[in-house]
Amino acid sequence: GGGKGTQSDKIIGAFSIPHISTGDIFRSMIKGEYQGTFPVDQIRDLMNQGRLILDELVVNIVIDRLRQSDCRKGFLLDGFPRTVEQADALSMELDKLGIKLDGVINIEVKDEVLIGRLTGRLVCRKCGATYHSKFNKPKSDNVCDLCGGELYTRDDDKEETVRNRLLVYKNQTQPLIDYYTKLGMLKTIDGEADTDTVFAKICEALE
Ligand code: AMP
């Protein structure tokens, strides 16, 4: 809801690097579109409750992905790490691969704004484009402007789950702000500005 999905699409376009989104990976596992054997029922239940998937599973998936050759020239991690344990595991793996992260982007948005954005969010089943029932309506109800696919509300965008996601964020993910500030890597961006302004600030921070 902070806009990391939207901004990620713009960043990978501008920098031509692979997009590693753990949320997208879990959603494709649930649809049976990701290679390998995973505890899909457990992943679906945790996501629907707004809780985090177990560190060990997330870390193994990301590490496998980072070892692929297309990541040699850079990559964008979206939604990972989300815990200090994940950040430690990432740092160990990057040391082994001889890679240094350029930066960590923290997109800041107030809770009330996030709740408003997420509870109205509509996603296209076919192409993944996102809309909003108030702020960014599709031209015809429940139909994607881009591909004609059906629009739906993500199970984890229901209000109760959204509130739980915010709590989980505060307890488990917010400590990463200190973690990466101490390493001098954190770049905080105001995520309440319009999409293009946020993107321009991210590019400035990365450059
Ligand atoms: P996102 O699309 O990034 O908002 O992620 C959606 C959901 O996927 C989260 O609420 C978690 O349940 C799960 N998830 C995504 N990334 C992670 C992660 N790094 N660690 C644990 N769970 C994750």
mmCIF file with all atom_site columns, all heavy atoms in Angstrom, residues 45-62:
data_model
loop_
_atom_site.group_PDB
_atom_site.id
_atom_site.type_symbol
_atom_site.label_atom_id
_atom_site.label_alt_id
_atom_site.label_comp_id
_atom_site.label_asym_id
_atom_site.label_entity_id
_atom_site.label_seq_id
_atom_site.pdbx_PDB_ins_code
_atom_site.Cartn_x
_atom_site.Cartn_y
_atom_site.Cartn_z
_atom_site.occupancy
_atom_site.B_iso_or_equiv
_atom_site.pdbx_formal_charge
_atom_site.auth_seq_id
_atom_site.auth_comp_id
_atom_site.auth_asym_id
_atom_site.auth_atom_id
_atom_site.pdbx_PDB_model_num
ATOM 1   N N   . ASP A 1 45 ? -2.779 -19.323 4.157  1.00 0.00 ? 45 ASP A N   1
ATOM 2   C CA  . ASP A 1 45 ? -3.383 -18.946 5.449  1.00 0.00 ? 45 ASP A CA  1
ATOM 3   C C   . ASP A 1 45 ? -2.641 -17.758 6.060  1.00 0.00 ? 45 ASP A C   1
ATOM 4   O O   . ASP A 1 45 ? -3.263 -16.806 6.525  1.00 0.00 ? 45 ASP A O   1
ATOM 5   C CB  . ASP A 1 45 ? -3.340 -20.117 6.442  1.00 0.00 ? 45 ASP A CB  1
ATOM 6   C CG  . ASP A 1 45 ? -4.351 -21.182 6.069  1.00 0.00 ? 45 ASP A CG  1
ATOM 7   O OD1 . ASP A 1 45 ? -5.200 -20.904 5.202  1.00 0.00 ? 45 ASP A OD1 1
ATOM 8   O OD2 . ASP A 1 45 ? -4.274 -22.293 6.635  1.00 0.00 ? 45 ASP A OD2 1
ATOM 9   N N   . LEU A 1 46 ? -1.317 -17.813 6.061  1.00 0.00 ? 46 LEU A N   1
ATOM 10  C CA  . LEU A 1 46 ? -0.540 -16.719 6.666  1.00 0.00 ? 46 LEU A CA  1
ATOM 11  C C   . LEU A 1 46 ? -0.793 -15.412 5.927  1.00 0.00 ? 46 LEU A C   1
ATOM 12  O O   . LEU A 1 46 ? -1.011 -14.359 6.542  1.00 0.00 ? 46 LEU A O   1
ATOM 13  C CB  . LEU A 1 46 ? 0.953  -17.053 6.654  1.00 0.00 ? 46 LEU A CB  1
ATOM 14  C CG  . LEU A 1 46 ? 1.394  -18.134 7.656  1.00 0.00 ? 46 LEU A CG  1
ATOM 15  C CD1 . LEU A 1 46 ? 2.834  -18.580 7.368  1.00 0.00 ? 46 LEU A CD1 1
ATOM 16  C CD2 . LEU A 1 46 ? 1.296  -17.627 9.093  1.00 0.00 ? 46 LEU A CD2 1
ATOM 17  N N   . MET A 1 47 ? -0.796 -15.472 4.598  1.00 0.00 ? 47 MET A N   1
ATOM 18  C CA  . MET A 1 47 ? -1.021 -14.242 3.813  1.00 0.00 ? 47 MET A CA  1
ATOM 19  C C   . MET A 1 47 ? -2.416 -13.681 4.085  1.00 0.00 ? 47 MET A C   1
ATOM 20  O O   . MET A 1 47 ? -2.578 -12.473 4.265  1.00 0.00 ? 47 MET A O   1
ATOM 21  C CB  . MET A 1 47 ? -0.860 -14.517 2.316  1.00 0.00 ? 47 MET A CB  1
ATOM 22  C CG  . MET A 1 47 ? 0.582  -14.551 1.887  1.00 0.00 ? 47 MET A CG  1
ATOM 23  S SD  . MET A 1 47 ? 0.741  -14.951 0.149  1.00 0.00 ? 47 MET A SD  1
ATOM 24  C CE  . MET A 1 47 ? 0.760  -13.317 -0.600 1.00 0.00 ? 47 MET A CE  1
ATOM 25  N N   . ASN A 1 48 ? -3.406 -14.567 4.124  1.00 0.00 ? 48 ASN A N   1
ATOM 26  C CA  . ASN A 1 48 ? -4.781 -14.086 4.347  1.00 0.00 ? 48 ASN A CA  1
ATOM 27  C C   . ASN A 1 48 ? -4.957 -13.471 5.719  1.00 0.00 ? 48 ASN A C   1
ATOM 28  O O   . ASN A 1 48 ? -5.837 -12.641 5.927  1.00 0.00 ? 48 ASN A O   1
ATOM 29  C CB  . ASN A 1 48 ? -5.791 -15.213 4.135  1.00 0.00 ? 48 ASN A CB  1
ATOM 30  C CG  . ASN A 1 48 ? -5.938 -15.553 2.668  1.00 0.00 ? 48 ASN A CG  1
ATOM 31  O OD1 . ASN A 1 48 ? -5.451 -14.807 1.817  1.00 0.00 ? 48 ASN A OD1 1
ATOM 32  N ND2 . ASN A 1 48 ? -6.575 -16.659 2.369  1.00 0.00 ? 48 ASN A ND2 1
ATOM 33  N N   . GLN A 1 49 ? -4.114 -13.883 6.673  1.00 0.00 ? 49 GLN A N   1
ATOM 34  C CA  . GLN A 1 49 ? -4.202 -13.274 8.008  1.00 0.00 ? 49 GLN A CA  1
ATOM 35  C C   . GLN A 1 49 ? -3.297 -12.042 8.120  1.00 0.00 ? 49 GLN A C   1
ATOM 36  O O   . GLN A 1 49 ? -3.216 -11.419 9.174  1.00 0.00 ? 49 GLN A O   1
ATOM 37  C CB  . GLN A 1 49 ? -3.748 -14.287 9.068  1.00 0.00 ? 49 GLN A CB  1
ATOM 38  C CG  . GLN A 1 49 ? -4.690 -15.470 9.246  1.00 0.00 ? 49 GLN A CG  1
ATOM 39  C CD  . GLN A 1 49 ? -4.006 -16.609 9.985  1.00 0.00 ? 49 GLN A CD  1
ATOM 40  O OE1 . GLN A 1 49 ? -3.186 -16.385 10.864 1.00 0.00 ? 49 GLN A OE1 1
ATOM 41  N NE2 . GLN A 1 49 ? -4.326 -17.821 9.613  1.00 0.00 ? 49 GLN A NE2 1
ATOM 42  N N   . GLY A 1 50 ? -2.563 -11.749 7.072  1.00 0.00 ? 50 GLY A N   1
ATOM 43  C CA  . GLY A 1 50 ? -1.668 -10.592 7.114  1.00 0.00 ? 50 GLY A CA  1
ATOM 44  C C   . GLY A 1 50 ? -0.393 -10.877 7.882  1.00 0.00 ? 50 GLY A C   1
ATOM 45  O O   . GLY A 1 50 ? 0.313  -9.951  8.283  1.00 0.00 ? 50 GLY A O   1
ATOM 46  N N   . ARG A 1 51 ? -0.096 -12.171 8.075  1.00 0.00 ? 51 ARG A N   1
ATOM 47  C CA  . ARG A 1 51 ? 1.128  -12.518 8.828  1.00 0.00 ? 51 ARG A CA  1
ATOM 48  C C   . ARG A 1 51 ? 2.265  -12.851 7.863  1.00 0.00 ? 51 ARG A C   1
ATOM 49  O O   . ARG A 1 51 ? 2.045  -13.074 6.678  1.00 0.00 ? 51 ARG A O   1
ATOM 50  C CB  . ARG A 1 51 ? 0.844  -13.709 9.739  1.00 0.00 ? 51 ARG A CB  1
ATOM 51  C CG  . ARG A 1 51 ? -0.094 -13.310 10.873 1.00 0.00 ? 51 ARG A CG  1
ATOM 52  C CD  . ARG A 1 51 ? -0.663 -14.516 11.567 1.00 0.00 ? 51 ARG A CD  1
ATOM 53  N NE  . ARG A 1 51 ? 0.355  -15.343 12.188 1.00 0.00 ? 51 ARG A NE  1
ATOM 54  C CZ  . ARG A 1 51 ? 0.126  -16.616 12.551 1.00 0.00 ? 51 ARG A CZ  1
ATOM 55  N NH1 . ARG A 1 51 ? -1.035 -17.192 12.334 1.00 0.00 ? 51 ARG A NH1 1
ATOM 56  N NH2 . ARG A 1 51 ? 1.083  -17.306 13.139 1.00 0.00 ? 51 ARG A NH2 1
ATOM 57  N N   . LEU A 1 52 ? 3.482  -12.877 8.403  1.00 0.00 ? 52 LEU A N   1
ATOM 58  C CA  . LEU A 1 52 ? 4.639  -13.134 7.545  1.00 0.00 ? 52 LEU A CA  1
ATOM 59  C C   . LEU A 1 52 ? 4.874  -14.636 7.362  1.00 0.00 ? 52 LEU A C   1
ATOM 60  O O   . LEU A 1 52 ? 4.609  -15.437 8.260  1.00 0.00 ? 52 LEU A O   1
ATOM 61  C CB  . LEU A 1 52 ? 5.901  -12.505 8.150  1.00 0.00 ? 52 LEU A CB  1
ATOM 62  C CG  . LEU A 1 52 ? 5.917  -10.981 8.258  1.00 0.00 ? 52 LEU A CG  1
ATOM 63  C CD1 . LEU A 1 52 ? 7.283  -10.506 8.750  1.00 0.00 ? 52 LEU A CD1 1
ATOM 64  C CD2 . LEU A 1 52 ? 5.592  -10.326 6.916  1.00 0.00 ? 52 LEU A CD2 1
ATOM 65  N N   . ILE A 1 53 ? 5.397  -14.985 6.202  1.00 0.00 ? 53 ILE A N   1
ATOM 66  C CA  . ILE A 1 53 ? 5.805  -16.363 5.912  1.00 0.00 ? 53 ILE A CA  1
ATOM 67  C C   . ILE A 1 53 ? 7.109  -16.613 6.682  1.00 0.00 ? 53 ILE A C   1
ATOM 68  O O   . ILE A 1 53 ? 7.887  -15.679 6.916  1.00 0.00 ? 53 ILE A O   1
ATOM 69  C CB  . ILE A 1 53 ? 6.041  -16.533 4.385  1.00 0.00 ? 53 ILE A CB  1
ATOM 70  C CG1 . ILE A 1 53 ? 4.909  -15.906 3.559  1.00 0.00 ? 53 ILE A CG1 1
ATOM 71  C CG2 . ILE A 1 53 ? 6.303  -17.985 4.015  1.00 0.00 ? 53 ILE A CG2 1
ATOM 72  C CD1 . ILE A 1 53 ? 3.531  -16.396 3.802  1.00 0.00 ? 53 ILE A CD1 1
ATOM 73  N N   . LEU A 1 54 ? 7.336  -17.879 7.058  1.00 0.00 ? 54 LEU A N   1
ATOM 74  C CA  . LEU A 1 54 ? 8.515  -18.198 7.879  1.00 0.00 ? 54 LEU A CA  1
ATOM 75  C C   . LEU A 1 54 ? 9.819  -17.761 7.218  1.00 0.00 ? 54 LEU A C   1
ATOM 76  O O   . LEU A 1 54 ? 10.026 -17.985 6.022  1.00 0.00 ? 54 LEU A O   1
ATOM 77  C CB  . LEU A 1 54 ? 8.572  -19.712 8.139  1.00 0.00 ? 54 LEU A CB  1
ATOM 78  C CG  . LEU A 1 54 ? 7.344  -20.302 8.835  1.00 0.00 ? 54 LEU A CG  1
ATOM 79  C CD1 . LEU A 1 54 ? 7.512  -21.787 9.083  1.00 0.00 ? 54 LEU A CD1 1
ATOM 80  C CD2 . LEU A 1 54 ? 7.050  -19.549 10.136 1.00 0.00 ? 54 LEU A CD2 1
ATOM 81  N N   . ASP A 1 55 ? 10.684 -17.164 8.044  1.00 0.00 ? 55 ASP A N   1
ATOM 82  C CA  . ASP A 1 55 ? 11.952 -16.619 7.531  1.00 0.00 ? 55 ASP A CA  1
ATOM 83  C C   . ASP A 1 55 ? 12.727 -17.622 6.687  1.00 0.00 ? 55 ASP A C   1
ATOM 84  O O   . ASP A 1 55 ? 13.242 -17.286 5.629  1.00 0.00 ? 55 ASP A O   1
ATOM 85  C CB  . ASP A 1 55 ? 12.849 -16.193 8.707  1.00 0.00 ? 55 ASP A CB  1
ATOM 86  C CG  . ASP A 1 55 ? 12.391 -14.882 9.331  1.00 0.00 ? 55 ASP A CG  1
ATOM 87  O OD1 . ASP A 1 55 ? 11.768 -14.078 8.628  1.00 0.00 ? 55 ASP A OD1 1
ATOM 88  O OD2 . ASP A 1 55 ? 12.660 -14.680 10.530 1.00 0.00 ? 55 ASP A OD2 1
ATOM 89  N N   . GLU A 1 56 ? 12.812 -18.873 7.187  1.00 0.00 ? 56 GLU A N   1
ATOM 90  C CA  . GLU A 1 56 ? 13.666 -19.848 6.514  1.00 0.00 ? 56 GLU A CA  1
ATOM 91  C C   . GLU A 1 56 ? 13.224 -20.067 5.060  1.00 0.00 ? 56 GLU A C   1
ATOM 92  O O   . GLU A 1 56 ? 14.046 -20.105 4.139  1.00 0.00 ? 56 GLU A O   1
ATOM 93  C CB  . GLU A 1 56 ? 13.609 -21.162 7.288  1.00 0.00 ? 56 GLU A CB  1
ATOM 94  C CG  . GLU A 1 56 ? 14.745 -22.078 6.931  1.00 0.00 ? 56 GLU A CG  1
ATOM 95  C CD  . GLU A 1 56 ? 14.581 -23.463 7.549  1.00 0.00 ? 56 GLU A CD  1
ATOM 96  O OE1 . GLU A 1 56 ? 13.868 -23.590 8.565  1.00 0.00 ? 56 GLU A OE1 1
ATOM 97  O OE2 . GLU A 1 56 ? 15.165 -24.386 6.966  1.00 0.00 ? 56 GLU A OE2 1
ATOM 98  N N   . LEU A 1 57 ? 11.901 -20.180 4.890  1.00 0.00 ? 57 LEU A N   1
ATOM 99  C CA  . LEU A 1 57 ? 11.370 -20.417 3.550  1.00 0.00 ? 57 LEU A CA  1
ATOM 100 C C   . LEU A 1 57 ? 11.635 -19.202 2.643  1.00 0.00 ? 57 LEU A C   1
ATOM 101 O O   . LEU A 1 57 ? 12.141 -19.340 1.523  1.00 0.00 ? 57 LEU A O   1
ATOM 102 C CB  . LEU A 1 57 ? 9.859  -20.693 3.656  1.00 0.00 ? 57 LEU A CB  1
ATOM 103 C CG  . LEU A 1 57 ? 9.105  -20.872 2.343  1.00 0.00 ? 57 LEU A CG  1
ATOM 104 C CD1 . LEU A 1 57 ? 9.637  -22.068 1.580  1.00 0.00 ? 57 LEU A CD1 1
ATOM 105 C CD2 . LEU A 1 57 ? 7.613  -21.047 2.604  1.00 0.00 ? 57 LEU A CD2 1
ATOM 106 N N   . VAL A 1 58 ? 11.352 -18.012 3.155  1.00 0.00 ? 58 VAL A N   1
ATOM 107 C CA  . VAL A 1 58 ? 11.534 -16.797 2.347  1.00 0.00 ? 58 VAL A CA  1
ATOM 108 C C   . VAL A 1 58 ? 13.004 -16.642 1.955  1.00 0.00 ? 58 VAL A C   1
ATOM 109 O O   . VAL A 1 58 ? 13.340 -16.375 0.789  1.00 0.00 ? 58 VAL A O   1
ATOM 110 C CB  . VAL A 1 58 ? 11.094 -15.527 3.126  1.00 0.00 ? 58 VAL A CB  1
ATOM 111 C CG1 . VAL A 1 58 ? 11.085 -14.315 2.224  1.00 0.00 ? 58 VAL A CG1 1
ATOM 112 C CG2 . VAL A 1 58 ? 9.736  -15.700 3.764  1.00 0.00 ? 58 VAL A CG2 1
ATOM 113 N N   . VAL A 1 59 ? 13.873 -16.831 2.939  1.00 0.00 ? 59 VAL A N   1
ATOM 114 C CA  . VAL A 1 59 ? 15.308 -16.633 2.703  1.00 0.00 ? 59 VAL A CA  1
ATOM 115 C C   . VAL A 1 59 ? 15.807 -17.619 1.637  1.00 0.00 ? 59 VAL A C   1
ATOM 116 O O   . VAL A 1 59 ? 16.533 -17.235 0.714  1.00 0.00 ? 59 VAL A O   1
ATOM 117 C CB  . VAL A 1 59 ? 16.092 -16.788 4.031  1.00 0.00 ? 59 VAL A CB  1
ATOM 118 C CG1 . VAL A 1 59 ? 17.571 -16.970 3.778  1.00 0.00 ? 59 VAL A CG1 1
ATOM 119 C CG2 . VAL A 1 59 ? 15.838 -15.578 4.935  1.00 0.00 ? 59 VAL A CG2 1
ATOM 120 N N   . ASN A 1 60 ? 15.404 -18.898 1.746  1.00 0.00 ? 60 ASN A N   1
ATOM 121 C CA  . ASN A 1 60 ? 15.872 -19.882 0.762  1.00 0.00 ? 60 ASN A CA  1
ATOM 122 C C   . ASN A 1 60 ? 15.439 -19.519 -0.651 1.00 0.00 ? 60 ASN A C   1
ATOM 123 O O   . ASN A 1 60 ? 16.214 -19.644 -1.601 1.00 0.00 ? 60 ASN A O   1
ATOM 124 C CB  . ASN A 1 60 ? 15.354 -21.289 1.106  1.00 0.00 ? 60 ASN A CB  1
ATOM 125 C CG  . ASN A 1 60 ? 16.125 -21.847 2.287  1.00 0.00 ? 60 ASN A CG  1
ATOM 126 O OD1 . ASN A 1 60 ? 17.259 -21.442 2.553  1.00 0.00 ? 60 ASN A OD1 1
ATOM 127 N ND2 . ASN A 1 60 ? 15.500 -22.752 3.024  1.00 0.00 ? 60 ASN A ND2 1
ATOM 128 N N   . ILE A 1 61 ? 14.204 -19.037 -0.773 1.00 0.00 ? 61 ILE A N   1
ATOM 129 C CA  . ILE A 1 61 ? 13.701 -18.678 -2.107 1.00 0.00 ? 61 ILE A CA  1
ATOM 130 C C   . ILE A 1 61 ? 14.503 -17.503 -2.679 1.00 0.00 ? 61 ILE A C   1
ATOM 131 O O   . ILE A 1 61 ? 14.932 -17.520 -3.829 1.00 0.00 ? 61 ILE A O   1
ATOM 132 C CB  . ILE A 1 61 ? 12.202 -18.307 -2.016 1.00 0.00 ? 61 ILE A CB  1
ATOM 133 C CG1 . ILE A 1 61 ? 11.398 -19.572 -1.726 1.00 0.00 ? 61 ILE A CG1 1
ATOM 134 C CG2 . ILE A 1 61 ? 11.715 -17.634 -3.284 1.00 0.00 ? 61 ILE A CG2 1
ATOM 135 C CD1 . ILE A 1 61 ? 9.984  -19.293 -1.280 1.00 0.00 ? 61 ILE A CD1 1
ATOM 136 N N   . VAL A 1 62 ? 14.744 -16.494 -1.837 1.00 0.00 ? 62 VAL A N   1
ATOM 137 C CA  . VAL A 1 62 ? 15.457 -15.299 -2.332 1.00 0.00 ? 62 VAL A CA  1
ATOM 138 C C   . VAL A 1 62 ? 16.906 -15.659 -2.678 1.00 0.00 ? 62 VAL A C   1
ATOM 139 O O   . VAL A 1 62 ? 17.431 -15.242 -3.726 1.00 0.00 ? 62 VAL A O   1
ATOM 140 C CB  . VAL A 1 62 ? 15.390 -14.148 -1.308 1.00 0.00 ? 62 VAL A CB  1
ATOM 141 C CG1 . VAL A 1 62 ? 16.261 -12.984 -1.729 1.00 0.00 ? 62 VAL A CG1 1
ATOM 142 C CG2 . VAL A 1 62 ? 13.952 -13.672 -1.132 1.00 0.00 ? 62 VAL A CG2 1
#
